[in-house]
Amino acid sequence: MPAQSKGSGKKSSSSLSISEQEYKKVAKKHEPARPIWANCIKAFFVGGFICVIGQAIQEAFMAGFHMTSKEAASPTVAVMILISVILTCMGVYDKMAQWAGAGTAVPVTGFANSMCSAALEHRAEGLVLGVGANMFKLAGSVIVFGVVAAFIVGVVYAILGFGGGHL
């Protein structure tokens, strides 16, 4: 292999480096614009539509089974979770989530989708080490946050005298 001469036209690696600020400027120039307002509007309407469906299901339970709104709340959540899991298994919920963004992640259906997606993705690894171990990776943090937040609110209520003693 012939040796490279100094005048061969190759630049040294030090002459190609740019500063971090210059890199950020170039990267920002080539970054596609994000339609923030359009994304917010899509998320608002899709999340609202999911909530309207949930309200319609609750009204159906109240009318069809003569339940109060409090009694109809649990079966409504169960049906919404079931619908979300079925749509996730069919690949529909993920496509809707790509388009709508946070509008599908905020309601309980987004939580069910995250668990179901992880379970589907890791099902080839087995029921325990695949599905069982991986389905709570994303959703586990939500569960932990909910439990810790409920504990803190309960302690604050107990200290301030707002809670307990009445059922």
Side-chain angles (χ1 to χ4, degrees), residues 12-19 22:
S12 68
S13 62
S14 63
S15 66
L16 290 177
S17 65
I18 60 174
S19 71
E22 291 171 333

Side-chain angles (χ1 to χ4, degrees), residues 14-69:
S14 63
S15 66
L16 290 177
S17 65
I18 60 174
S19 71
E20 186 178 337
Q21 293 164 341
E22 291 171 333
Y23 175 78
K24 286 181 180 178
K25 191 185 298 182
V26 170
K28 183 123 177 118
K29 187 172 108 178
H30 293 289
E31 184 178 294
R34 296 183 195 148
I36 294 172
W37 288 108
N39 290 345
C40 289
I41 290 169
K42 285 192 281 189
F44 175 79
F45 282 108
V46 170
F49 182 68
I50 291 170
C51 293
V52 166
I53 292 171
Q55 187 65 43
I57 292 169
Q58 184 174 7
E59 295 292 332
F61 275 118
M62 290 166 55
F65 297 103
H66 307 291
M67 297 178 164
T68 65
S69 62

Side-chain angles (χ1 to χ4, degrees), residues 148-160 163-164:
V148 171
F151 176 76
I152 291 171
V153 168
V155 168
V156 168
Y157 268 51
I159 291 172
L160 296 177

Side-chain angles (χ1 to χ4, degrees), residues 119 122-136:
H122 297 284
R123 72 178 179 243
E125 298 170 25
L127 288 176
V128 175
L129 295 177
V131 174
N134 289 300
M135 109 175 157
F136 288 107

